[in-house]
């Protein structure tokens, strides 16, 4: 929810707030400057050690730079998502004389974390000249408006930011997703096309845009972008999964299964999912074919057993016995029951009873009891079975 700025933006104010690590020494002792050590740890992104260092600062020292102390303390709390605590510390920094406008950006982030969007916007209105150089302020402002329910204002902020910072692709990217949320699908598609043609779009950009369109009820439009992604990133698992979801939303399970089958060339586990979709679409032969390509033997055998049951090939289930023993599936009550059921269906009641005797799980035990009743009835009146 709350936004951290790109690292290059952070460097702008890091130079203002963070000083070099300093030590002063004499012949007898080395005195550590814990304030500077804290600043260094923050710069390196190590907020745990920064927190440990700042606790060692002597707050009774009359020469303590309190505005810097409270600012660093607030940054640590903010990055630990202790938002209320960080607000108190930033307010203390201001009371101690902190005049750097970046403090209001920090406060806005903290209020965003608390979902207090009006207060966040109020803080952002005090950032002054920083707005001219910090794109992150505009991104944070647009998100505050959006989450506060003023969605068209958020859109306007992105438009203004895009004009001010044409090199920052994040504003165009956010406009795409805002457009989808607002139901402006054709505009979102236009922006998406422009984004892909004019920026170095990542595979996640394609997939995110495709998924957003699909969830908004536009699977056909989603596939336009996902097809481009498949050409550009042929080995990316998420592209094939996203395309399968889109085809499934169009009730085209065969096409969805085919996408996962193609993805299986690069990511073997997708063959199992492809087999499931082929089974649902009624193409059992293709389901078996994809199952045969699954490398994980346990998953492969569980799915193959399911497919054999689906097609009532009980002899084939029994033929899997040695393979099931090898991967210890018959140590599990669920598969003991399946084997007993197959034995029952081929008329081998004695073998089925022997398999059922070992079942201990409560749920499977109840199913075993029901199967015993059916077998007892079949023994008395075989014509019923």
């Amino acid at each position: 929810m709350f936004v951290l700025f790109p690292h290059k933006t952070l460097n702008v104010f890091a130079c203002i707030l963070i000083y070099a690590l300093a030590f002063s020494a004499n012949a007898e002792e080395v005195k550590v400057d814990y304030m500077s050590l804290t600043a260094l740890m923050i710069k390196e992104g190590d907020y745990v050690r920064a927190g440990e260092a700042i606790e060692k600062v002597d707050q009774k020292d009359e020469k303590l730079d309190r505005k810097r102390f409270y600012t660093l303390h607030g940054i640590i709390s903010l990055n630990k998502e202790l938002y209320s605590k960080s607000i108190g510390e930033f307010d203390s920094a201001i009371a101690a004389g902190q005049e750097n406008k970046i403090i209001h950006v920090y406060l806005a982030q903290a209020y965003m974390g608390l979902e207090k969007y009006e207060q966040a916007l109020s803080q952002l209105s005090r950032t002054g000249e920083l707005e001219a150089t910090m794109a992150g302020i505009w991104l944070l402002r647009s998100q505050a408006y959006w989450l506060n329910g003023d969605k068209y204002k958020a859109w306007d902020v992105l438009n203004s930011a895009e004009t001010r910072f044409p090199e920052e692709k994040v504003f165009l990217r956010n406009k795409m997703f805002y457009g989808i949320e607002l139901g402006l699908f054709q505009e979102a598609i236009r922006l998406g096309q422009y984004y892909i043609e004019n920026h170095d779009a990542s595979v996640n950009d394609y997939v995110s845009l495709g998924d957003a369109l699909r969830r908004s009820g536009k699977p056909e439009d989603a596939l336009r972008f996902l097809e481009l992604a498949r050409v550009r990133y042929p080995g990316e698992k998420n592209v094939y999964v996203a395309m399968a979801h889109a085809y499934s939303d169009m009730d085209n399970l065969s096409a969805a299964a085919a996408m996962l089958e193609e993805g299986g060339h690069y990511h073997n586990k997708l063959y199992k999912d492809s087999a499931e979709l082929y089974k649902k679409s009624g193409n059992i032969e293709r389901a078996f074919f994809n199952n045969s390509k699954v490398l994980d033997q346990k998953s492969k055998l569980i799915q193959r057993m399911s497919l054999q049951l689906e097609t009532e090939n009980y002899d084939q289930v029994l033929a899997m016995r040695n393979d099931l023993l090898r991967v210890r599936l018959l140590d599990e009550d669920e598969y003991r029951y399946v084997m007993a059921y197959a034995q029952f269906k081929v008329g081998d009641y004695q073998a089925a009873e022997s398999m059922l005797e070992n079942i201990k799980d409560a749920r499977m035990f109840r199913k075993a009891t029901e199967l015993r009743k059916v077998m007892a009835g079949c023994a008395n009146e075989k014509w019923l079975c």
Side-chain angles (χ1 to χ4, degrees):
M1 178 187 313
F2 110 98
V3 180
L4 289 176
F5 303 116
H7 63 84
K8 65 179 182 179
T9 307
L10 281 171
N11 288 339
V12 173
F13 55 85
C15 294
I16 300 171
L17 295 174
I18 298 175
Y19 300 98
L21 176 63
F23 297 99
S24 61
N26 55 39
E28 296 182 357
E29 64 173 341
V30 175
K31 183 179 179 181
V32 179
D33 181 351
Y34 286 109
M35 187 93 86
S36 293
L37 181 58
T38 299
L40 180 62
M41 293 298 100
I42 289 174
K43 186 177 181 180
E44 293 181 350
D46 190 342
Y47 295 101
V48 173
R49 291 174 64 193
E52 294 171 353
I54 204 165
E55 292 302 324
K56 297 177 181 178
V57 172
D58 183 5
Q59 297 186 49
K60 296 179 181 179
D61 185 354
E62 293 181 359
K63 296 181 180 180
L64 177 64
D65 184 348
R66 296 189 180 280
K67 66 180 181 181
R68 185 179 181 221
F69 172 80
Y70 287 121
T71 300
L72 294 176
H73 226 313
I75 293 172
I76 294 168
S77 296
L78 179 63
N79 281 275
K80 290 182 177 180
E81 300 183 7
L82 302 172
Y83 302 122
S84 295
K85 188 172 186 288
S86 69
I87 289 170
E89 287 156 350
F90 290 136
D91 285 341
S92 294
I94 293 172
Q98 179 61 269
E99 296 180 350
N100 194 314
K101 299 294 185 182
I102 197 64
I103 201 78
H104 298 293
V105 180
Y106 288 139
L107 278 163
Q109 289 181 299
Y111 281 118
M112 288 287 285
L114 294 174
E115 301 182 14
K116 294 182 177 181
Y117 307 119
E118 293 286 354
Q119 290 92 325
L121 288 166
S122 175
Q123 291 297 327
L124 291 173
S125 70
R126 304 176 192 179
T127 53
E129 67 279 2
L130 289 180
E131 290 190 1
T133 57
M134 290 185 63
I137 290 174
W138 293 83
L139 181 60
L140 195 59
R141 180 178 285 130
S142 71
Q143 291 190 330
Y145 276 122
W146 183 269
L147 294 170
N148 202 40
D150 197 344
K151 298 188 174 183
Y152 287 98
K153 184 67 174 177
W155 180 274
D156 290 340
V157 169
L158 289 178
N159 280 332
S160 298
E162 194 176 6
T163 301
R164 287 171 178 263
F165 305 96
E167 74 285 358
E168 294 286 351
K169 66 180 183 179
V170 66
F171 299 115
L172 175 58
R173 189 177 187 276
N174 276 23
K175 280 175 66 178
M176 292 188 306
F177 296 113
Y178 282 10
I180 293 170
E181 289 288 325
L182 292 170
L184 305 173
F185 299 114
Q186 292 308 310
E187 177 67 4
I189 291 168
R190 184 190 69 79
L191 291 170
Q193 194 67 45
Y194 179 84
Y195 179 84
I196 287 170
E197 291 173 356
N198 293 276
H199 294 280
D200 186 21
S202 69
V203 64
N204 288 335
D205 290 330
Y206 283 97
V207 172
S208 296
L209 180 56
D211 274 345
L213 286 166
R214 178 183 64 81
R215 289 194 304 270
S216 298
K218 297 289 181 179
E220 297 91 344
D221 293 323
L223 284 169
R224 288 173 53 183
F225 291 100
L226 294 172
E227 284 286 2
L228 293 172
R230 184 166 64 129
V231 172
R232 186 171 179 184
Y233 301 100
E236 287 289 339
K237 175 182 178 180
N238 289 342
V239 173
Y240 295 102
V241 173
M243 293 186 74
H245 282 308
Y247 279 120
S248 293
D249 286 356
M250 297 165 62
D251 294 323
N252 191 341
L253 293 182
S254 293
M259 280 298 100
L260 294 179
E261 182 176 350
E262 183 177 331
H265 299 326
Y266 307 98
H267 303 277
N268 184 266
K269 290 182 179 180
L270 292 182
Y271 281 124
K272 179 175 179 289
D273 298 326
S274 176
E276 286 299 318
L277 285 178
Y278 274 125
K279 182 178 79 171
K280 289 181 180 179
S281 71
N283 192 340
I284 296 297
E285 181 179 348
R286 202 69 189 174
F288 274 113
F289 174 76
N290 277 268
N291 170 263
S292 69
K293 292 179 174 290
V294 177
L295 295 178
D296 184 281
Q297 289 302 298
K298 196 167 185 178
S299 295
K300 178 178 184 175
L301 289 170
I302 290 171
Q303 186 178 58
R304 178 162 290 269
M305 186 185 300
S306 173
L307 290 171
Q308 299 291 11
L309 290 172
E310 182 85 9
T311 53
E312 300 184 355
N313 290 325
Y314 303 113
D315 285 329
Q316 292 300 314
V317 174
L318 298 179
M320 294 173 62
R321 181 185 180 91
N322 289 338
D323 289 330
L324 297 173
L325 285 169
R326 175 170 49 82
V327 297
R328 304 188 67 87
L329 276 174
L330 290 184
D331 290 349
E332 301 178 30
D333 284 350
E334 180 178 356
Y335 302 109
R336 283 196 185 106
Y337 175 82
V338 171
M339 183 60 68
Y341 182 79
Q343 289 164 335
F344 155 67
K345 294 299 289 185
V346 299
D348 193 347
Y349 299 166
Q350 184 175 352
E353 178 58 37
S354 296
M355 188 65 66
L356 293 174
E357 285 177 354
N358 296 315
I359 291 177
K360 300 293 188 296
D361 175 78
R363 182 178 67 88
M364 300 312 301
F365 187 83
R366 287 193 294 271
K367 295 187 71 171
T369 300
E370 291 300 318
L371 184 56
R372 284 191 177 97
K373 290 179 182 178
V374 174
M375 287 195 296
C378 289
N380 295 327
E381 299 180 80
K382 292 185 179 181
W383 60 273
L384 290 174
C385 304

